[in-house]
Amino acid sequence: MTKLLIGLGAVAVLAIAGIWWMTRDGARVTPTGSGTIATASGEFEAFPLPGYADSALPRGYKSYLIEVEPGIKIHVLEAGTGTPVYLQHGNPTNGMLYRKIWQKLPTDRMRLIMPTMVGLGFSTKIPASQHTLENHMRWMNIALRKLNLTGVVYVGQDWGGAVGLGALMGSPELLKGMVILNTGWTAPREKFELSRPHAIAATPIMGELLLENLVSIFDRLRETQGDPASFPPEVAALYKRPVIDSGNKKGPLALKRMVPTGPDHPTSKPMSEIEAYARTLNVPTEIVWGMRDPILARALPTMKAMYPQARVTETQAGHFLQEEVPVEIAAAIERVVAAAATK
């Protein structure tokens, strides 16, 4: 009996230690660049990409870091010159999500700015508790202001919607046009579940166990696509490796938990502010939507109602439509850039 009790005690201690390890907040991990790189906005900390990332991108890009607060750095990919186009990804990807669209755009006339949200890609990784919509909006706004841009056409998807538009809300003079991709910025009026994986993520311990340890969020991204083959392992690795290799993989789960589940959720207040700002906008706007998105396809009517004059392109793509329909997205960007130039 004594041995049994000792054994059970050991198991209990190990279980408690395991739970502590899984639910720990995580440490800040700040990237370090090498030298400086000159841009049209001035000099920034150069950040050479590892080979697997560099080989996946078109030539002629710039890769650098912008320190937005002490120890908080945003990684930026930039290509081209001309009208600034700010392309914001969401969870759990990074700025490389726009690589196919960039190949379809005239970079002799457009300056593509593709920043990565804190906690993902090659940007600073932070403790899970610091992932709040207010923080992400503030950090991205500071990055945009440090770039000293004017006349920006904005493109946003997933969390890139609320974070990107929230960042621009802090500097409203910047925004001259929008291309909206599978996203949302309306605050829930009642209890709300975006998807079953988001509900699992919101469950303490269960979220860490299933989505950080037993299953990789990155390895399931293909299931959100219209064509799962658009997300082969080598593409998933573009988003997975920078996070895993950093030693802090808390970002993707924390960002899922940032999705509001009702009016009392901490994200609902800033989301309602973004929604109010979004309803005031009167700039050239197009909507490109993936109708086979299991997460946000159903949000299209809400977005169409908010922008009834916007041209809408419905596609058979899934959630990460940048991987599936870059031609359609690039065409929308070109039209909005042209329309914004005449305003």
Side-chain angles (χ1 to χ4, degrees):
M1 180 61 72
T2 301
K3 289 183 178 180
L4 176 61
L5 292 175
I6 292 173
L8 291 174
V11 170
V13 169
L14 289 173
I16 292 170
I19 291 171
W20 172 84
W21 177 254
M22 286 191 298
T23 59
R24 70 199 186 283
D25 208 25
R28 177 183 291 185
V29 182
T30 302
T32 301
S34 176
T36 60
I37 191 167
T39 76
S41 303
E43 291 195 346
F44 296 99
E45 183 180 1
F47 186 79
L49 293 178
Y52 73 87
D54 173 74
S55 64
L57 297 177
R59 298 302 87 191
Y61 68 84
K62 295 177 181 179
S63 171
Y64 55 89
L65 301 168
I66 301 177
E67 188 164 37
V68 294
E69 289 179 4
I72 302 290
K73 298 179 183 179
I74 285 178
H75 176 243
V76 179
L77 286 173
E78 177 182 325
T81 59
T83 301
V85 180
Y86 160 42
L87 304 109
Q88 186 60 64
H89 71 93
N91 187 33
T93 59
N94 57 51
M96 289 188 283
L97 183 62
Y98 287 98
R99 70 196 183 284
K100 292 182 180 180
I101 296 162
W102 145 19
Q103 289 180 291
K104 306 297 182 183
L105 290 172
T107 51
D108 59 330
R109 294 186 284 110
M110 296 183 192
R111 181 187 178 193
L112 310 182
I113 305 292
M114 298 162 279
T116 290
M117 290 172 59
V118 170
L120 298 173
F122 298 105
S123 293
T124 294
K125 310 304 180 296
I126 56 174
S129 60
Q130 293 180 14
H131 282 281
T132 67
L133 182 52
E134 292 96 334
N135 279 345
H136 284 287
M137 289 161 50
R138 184 179 71 258
W139 291 328
M140 201 58 68
N141 173 261
I142 294 171
L144 294 176
R145 286 194 284 111
K146 287 198 171 188
L147 285 167
N148 196 30
L149 303 174
T150 57
V152 171
V153 169
Y154 153 70
V155 184
Q157 177 261 345
D158 190 83
W159 263 128
V163 170
L165 199 61
L168 289 163
M169 181 173 66
S171 299
E173 73 282 358
L174 294 180
L175 184 62
K176 300 302 179 185
M178 297 192 296
V179 177
I180 304 167
L181 316 172
N182 291 51
T183 188
W185 41 60
T186 55
R189 272 64 170 177
E190 56 188 21
K191 190 172 176 60
F192 172 75
E193 181 178 297
L194 183 60
S195 72
R196 186 58 187 159
H198 283 84
I200 292 171
T203 306
I205 302 176
M206 187 64 70
E208 283 86 356
L209 177 64
L210 293 181
L211 301 181
E212 282 187 349
N213 293 278
L214 295 182
V215 176
S216 167
I217 289 174
F218 297 97
D219 295 339
R220 303 294 294 272
L221 298 182
R222 63 191 306 275
E223 298 173 10
T224 69
Q225 296 297 84
D227 177 9
S230 66
F231 237 106
E234 61 270 23
V235 170
L238 295 176
Y239 311 121
K240 178 179 181 178
R241 284 192 61 178
V243 174
I244 301 302
D245 291 352
S246 75
N248 178 345
K249 59 182 180 181
K250 291 293 181 179
L253 179 60
L255 288 165
K256 277 186 177 292
R257 287 178 170 168
M258 210 168 77
V259 173
T261 55
D264 296 330
H265 189 280
T267 297
S268 290
K269 182 178 183 296
M271 190 76 90
S272 66
E273 294 169 355
I274 296 167
E275 178 182 351
Y277 168 66
R279 292 185 183 280
T280 70
L281 295 175
N282 183 24
V283 296
T285 299
E286 289 207 21
I287 299 169
V288 184
W289 217 255
M291 300 306 296
R292 298 178 68 183
D293 178 354
I295 304 169
L296 285 170
R298 59 182 169 167
L300 178 58
T302 299
M303 197 62 74
K304 290 168 70 174
M306 190 174 292
Y307 303 106
Q309 304 305 316
R311 175 171 176 167
V312 179
T313 303
E314 297 184 12
T315 77
Q316 291 304 301
H319 186 64
F320 300 98
L321 61 167
Q322 297 96 325
E323 296 287 358
E324 297 187 87
V325 289
V327 171
E328 290 85 344
I329 296 169
I333 293 171
E334 289 204 65
R335 289 190 294 266
V336 170
V337 167
T342 64
K343 296 280 284 187

